[in-house]
Amino acid sequence: MKTNYISQAEYCAEYMRYLGIAKTERRSYAESVRLLEEAGFRELSTFESLKPGDRVYRGYEDRTVMAAVIGTKPIAEVGLKVVGGHTDAPRLDLKPRPVYEKGGYIYFDCHMYGGIKKYQWLVKPLALYGTIVRKDGSKVEIAVGDNPDDPVFLISDILPHLGKDQAKQTRDEFYPAEDLDVIAWSTYKKDEEKDGEAEEKEPKADRKGFVEYLKSTYGVDEEDLLSAELEIVPAGMPREVGFDRELIAGYGHDDRVCSFAGLKALIDAAGDVPERTASILMCDKEEVGSMGSTGMQSSFFENTVAELIERQEPNARDIMVRRALERSSMLSADVTAVADPHFPDVNSTGNEARFHKGPAASKYTGGASKSGSSDCGPEFVAEIRRIMDEGGVTWQMAELGKMEKGGGGTIAQYMSRFGMKVLDMGTPLMNMHAPWELASKFDCWQTYCAYSAYLRS
């Protein structure tokens, strides 16, 4: 097996650049497609037939993408090797009618996306990203908060001097989800003068000025926000942590750290024609149950495999797709929790993931009784052990904390339903689902090496 991986320093520099760009799943999609096309991959619809070595990708709704290097053996006979992760991350979404006034301010009304701790999003610089679609179908891309000259957005909180009643409430009670709204405009509307003096009344936000700003800056009306996909995310680029610079702080490690590792692994392996088709999948909506047309519970993956087979088999039939899926294997590329010394009580002693020990393989995820897990068979675990050893990869086995302390799932359960062999394997994180998550540079790099070894095996 070839193991000519790029260096840790080079890989982490590329990853940090990507993470700073891919603040949303749409931006992740756009940057991933750019990198694929730069590496010689072409949209699947441009191929009438496929031959070994062809580099193809297929995207859907600018959020979900699958890419592959076609192998020497037909997909219908031997299936595919898949590295599958997701590119959505916990955040705040603007509601369909997001603009409201309160106490002289204009706020963006927000809705939580994915599992977050509400208090972690207070009094932090926030950025606004997304797409506004006008009635004529034209689009406006929004990206505000990360350029040095940009304004940022903020969710306010009460000062400690006046927050005694708040302090008596529980973590989930003290800040209602409906109040997780960001300040969008603070200029008052001038009071109308009466008899030469300003009439005293409660300040009113200058909504007209706000609407005029949207029109002059972005060419949209307030009504256009009805057909928009706008997200509030932490402002700021990924940073190195500690004097040794061995950790990366960034938004969206979960799960762009694994998705990018798979993307980079496939691109770097594209020069070698594999026996079994090597592929990656970067999907959407994992943080809300993998639902919708771009989530793993959609038919996107099956449809894409069918499109690949149809270009290899002139007389393709549905049964070929089913057989190919059953003969496939996958690394479910999602993160897991790293042991935090401040919270030792949640660790599954002896089975917890540690920083600087490589990606963590998890035979099962789920809750206390393995609910929501695929529970990989030992035969495939042994196969992955062999591949990692042959590829010189540093890795670890772990599970997600103690039973009855919580739990979590990945897309593995939705892939294993096809009958394919699936094992969870991803980068350990600290502060998972927080605005700023922590990852080890070594673990990020070794995750890329692990996926490279698997795709090239």
Side-chain angles (χ1 to χ4, degrees):
M1 181 195 303
K2 293 183 179 180
T3 57
N4 53 330
Y5 314 125
I6 63 173
S7 69
Q8 176 179 314
E10 184 181 356
Y11 176 78
C12 289
E14 288 189 32
Y15 170 58
M16 289 178 70
R17 177 191 168 279
Y18 174 87
L19 191 62
I21 293 172
K23 284 293 190 82
T24 69
E25 59 277 22
R26 281 181 180 264
R27 288 174 67 87
S28 172
Y29 174 91
E31 180 63 9
S32 299
V33 167
R34 187 191 72 78
L35 292 172
L36 286 167
E37 291 184 342
E38 189 178 80
F41 286 74
R42 291 165 46 204
E43 221 290 328
L44 181 57
S45 62
T46 66
F47 289 83
E48 292 185 3
S49 62
L50 293 172
K51 65 181 184 302
D54 281 343
R55 306 174 188 186
V56 304
Y57 75 88
R58 179 174 184 256
Y60 194 66
E61 292 190 357
D62 295 338
R63 297 184 190 90
T64 291
V65 64
M66 182 174 174
V69 178
I70 304 302
T72 57
K73 292 190 176 181
I75 295 172
E77 292 182 10
V78 298
L80 314 91
K81 290 180 291 185
V82 186
V83 173
H86 66 92
T87 58
D88 61 317
R91 60 179 189 261
L92 299 174
D93 285 346
L94 267 61
K95 292 183 178 179
R97 289 188 176 276
V99 180
Y100 75 92
E101 303 171 47
K102 186 176 182 179
Y105 300 89
I106 291 178
Y107 290 90
F108 281 143
D109 199 1
C110 296
H111 197 294
M112 293 189 299
Y113 177 96
I116 66 172
K117 290 181 176 180
K118 294 176 289 184
Y119 71 87
Q120 293 180 333
W121 289 76
L122 307 181
V123 295
K124 284 183 173 60
L126 301 170
L128 175 68
Y129 282 91
T131 303
I132 301 173
V133 185
R134 303 185 187 92
K135 284 188 291 186
D136 63 4
S138 60
K139 296 181 180 181
V140 179
E141 300 298 327
I142 305 293
V144 184
D146 278 324
N147 288 326
D149 295 333
D150 283 352
V152 294
F153 304 89
L154 201 79
I155 301 172
S156 62
D157 191 18
I158 194 170
L159 64 163
H161 310 69
L162 301 177
K164 292 184 178 179
D165 290 341
Q166 182 195 62
K168 297 175 184 177
Q169 297 176 300
T170 67
R171 184 200 75 181
D172 291 332
E173 293 172 341
F174 86 86
Y175 211 100
E178 290 293 341
D179 288 345
L180 287 174
D181 301 332
V182 300
I183 297 173
W185 190 271
S186 63
T187 305
Y188 291 159
K189 180 180 180 181
K190 291 183 179 180
D191 293 332
E192 296 178 2
E193 292 190 359
K194 183 177 181 181
D195 297 330
E197 295 183 1
E199 183 180 351
E200 292 187 7
K201 55 185 177 181
E202 183 176 332
K204 188 173 180 62
D206 183 13
R207 193 181 186 109
K208 181 179 179 181
F210 172 74
V211 172
E212 288 176 351
Y213 176 82
L214 292 179
K215 185 70 175 178
S216 63
T217 306
Y218 301 110
V220 298
D221 296 319
E222 186 176 343
E223 185 181 335
D224 290 324
L225 299 180
L226 291 171
S227 50
E229 187 177 76
L230 296 169
E231 304 175 9
I232 296 292
V233 300
M237 294 293 104
R239 300 292 297 272
E240 297 169 316
V241 175
F243 285 125
D244 56 358
R245 298 175 179 265
E246 285 301 316
L247 300 179
I248 301 172
Y251 166 67
H253 280 316
D254 181 7
D255 181 41
R256 293 163 195 150
V257 66
C258 295
S259 291
F260 179 77
L263 174 70
K264 182 63 177 173
L266 184 69
I267 288 174
D268 286 359
D272 301 322
V273 180
E275 186 175 273
R276 292 172 68 205
T277 294
S279 66
I280 60 158
L281 180 64
M282 303 171 77
C283 63
D284 181 25
K285 297 292 187 288
E286 193 274 346
E287 297 295 358
V288 291
S290 296
M291 311 299 287
S293 59
T294 54
M296 270 316 304
Q297 295 203 62
S298 74
S299 59
F300 170 77
F301 176 67
E302 299 159 82
N303 290 348
T304 304
V305 173
E307 294 281 357
L308 292 170
I309 291 176
E310 192 272 336
R311 285 165 173 78
Q312 284 189 322
E313 306 287 345
N315 300 309
R317 294 173 294 149
D318 180 66
I319 190 62
M320 291 180 175
V321 178
R322 296 176 182 273
R323 287 170 180 165
L325 293 172
E326 194 171 81
R327 292 163 181 167
S328 297
S329 63
M330 174 189 176
L331 288 182
S332 176
D334 207 345
V335 299
T336 191
V338 77
D340 187 332
H342 285 296
F343 305 99
D345 188 51
V346 301
N347 294 335
S348 178
T349 308
N351 285 282
E352 69 275 15
R354 299 282 180 179
F355 270 157
H356 313 315
K357 292 185 178 293
S362 300
K363 188 175 182 295
Y364 48 83
T365 54
S369 57
K370 297 187 181 181
S371 60
S373 69
S374 63
D375 204 351
C376 180
E379 293 84 359
F380 189 49
V381 176
E383 182 180 338
I384 295 301
R385 287 177 58 205
R386 174 186 58 78
I387 292 172
M388 295 301 110
D389 288 349
E390 291 177 355
V393 177
T394 300
W395 64 287
Q396 55 188 313
M397 285 289 283
E399 61 179 15
L400 187 62
K402 284 183 179 177
M403 293 183 292
E404 300 182 328
K405 288 291 185 180
T410 68
I411 64 171
Q413 59 183 312
Y414 308 118
M415 303 297 280
S416 58
R417 67 187 175 90
F418 298 119
M420 68 171 65
K421 297 175 289 186
V422 183
L423 176 66
D424 281 289
M425 193 173 201
T427 314
L429 297 183
M430 193 177 286
N431 304 342
M432 193 190 301
H433 281 213
W436 292 96
E437 300 169 314
L438 280 177
S440 154
K441 284 185 176 180
F442 179 78
D443 297 341
C444 293
W445 177 54
Q446 286 295 299
T447 301
Y448 150 77
C449 296
Y451 299 160
S452 294
Y454 169 66
L455 292 175
R456 297 178 183 186
S457 63

